[in-house]
Amino acid sequence: MDLDEKFAYMATGQPYRDTDAELTALRDQATLTTNAVNATADPETKETLLRQLVGSAGRKPFVNPNFRVEFGRNIHLGDNFYANYDCVMLDGAPITIGSQVLLGPKVGLYTSNHLFDATERIRGGCIARPITIGDGCWLAANVTVLPGVTIGANTIIGGGSVVTHDIPANVIAAGNPCQVIRPITAADRTGYTGAQFELS
């Protein structure tokens, strides 16, 4: 089974051997690339390296240090993606993120999980399920998203939340486990135009 076939199999949610030599080598390469991404302050160099790391990215992706991934190739970013400090993405299965998404400090997106049976876990058994985040979402600081979760467009996930199940679009949700608090409505608008700090 070649590497593409292995990743296709992993995306089915079936158990796989996490200690496979090819997967280990790809993790090591991803670590080297993320080290380079984190070490540079030059935006163009950072974007070039980030594009080499992930499966695909739209316009102007940006990550602050220390950004970490498991493989990188299973991560797909929309336009104007922004990750604040210490973001971690374990992409044993695809992580698909829409456009205009903001991730706060220490957000973790974890598609992979060890098997529950101790003997199988010791043998390196894992499973992975995709994570999808819609356009316009904001995940605040220390949010954890677990395998198989979809978060709908424009939704806000409150700081420190653990997202264990799907969250619909256009809501504020928070907690452990994360639950919908209320919809986002026109009453949440402040009149901000983006021009407040422009010089006359």
Side-chain angles (χ1 to χ4, degrees), residues 49-200:
L49 290 167
L50 187 59
R51 290 185 184 280
Q52 292 171 7
L53 177 67
V54 301
S56 65
R59 296 188 306 273
K60 297 184 178 178
F62 184 84
V63 296
N64 273 312
N66 286 302
F67 180 64
R68 292 293 175 199
V69 303
E70 184 173 12
F71 303 109
R73 62 178 285 162
N74 280 334
I75 297 169
H76 303 279
L77 307 173
D79 294 338
N80 301 308
F81 169 76
Y82 178 87
N84 215 322
Y85 299 100
D86 298 320
C87 177
V88 177
M89 299 187 189
L90 300 188
D91 56 313
I95 294 175
T96 305
I97 298 176
S99 295
Q100 310 293 341
V101 171
L102 304 175
L103 301 185
K106 298 185 178 180
V107 165
L109 309 179
Y110 305 121
T111 70
S112 303
N113 206 359
H114 296 284
L115 297 182
F116 291 172
D117 180 82
T119 301
E120 294 179 339
R121 189 166 59 248
I122 290 165
R123 290 175 182 153
C126 279
I127 57 170
R129 295 169 58 211
I131 289 172
T132 303
I133 299 173
D135 293 344
C137 287
W138 169 30
L139 278 59
N142 292 293
V143 166
T144 297
V145 181
L146 297 184
V149 165
T150 294
I151 298 173
N154 304 315
T155 281
I156 297 168
I157 306 294
S161 297
V162 179
V163 189
T164 62
H165 59 272
D166 292 354
I167 302 292
N170 301 303
V171 300
I172 298 172
N176 182 6
C178 188
Q179 303 291 339
V180 173
I181 296 172
R182 66 173 179 85
I184 298 169
T185 70
D188 292 306
R189 293 182 185 147
T190 66
Y192 176 71
T193 64
Q196 275 74 356
F197 287 105
E198 287 185 2
L199 298 175
S200 58

Side-chain angles (χ1 to χ4, degrees), residues 29-49:
Q29 181 57 53
T31 297
L32 293 175
T33 305
T34 53
N35 285 346
V37 169
N38 293 327
T40 184
D42 178 68
E44 290 185 9
T45 302
K46 185 186 290 284
E47 182 172 332
T48 297
L49 290 167

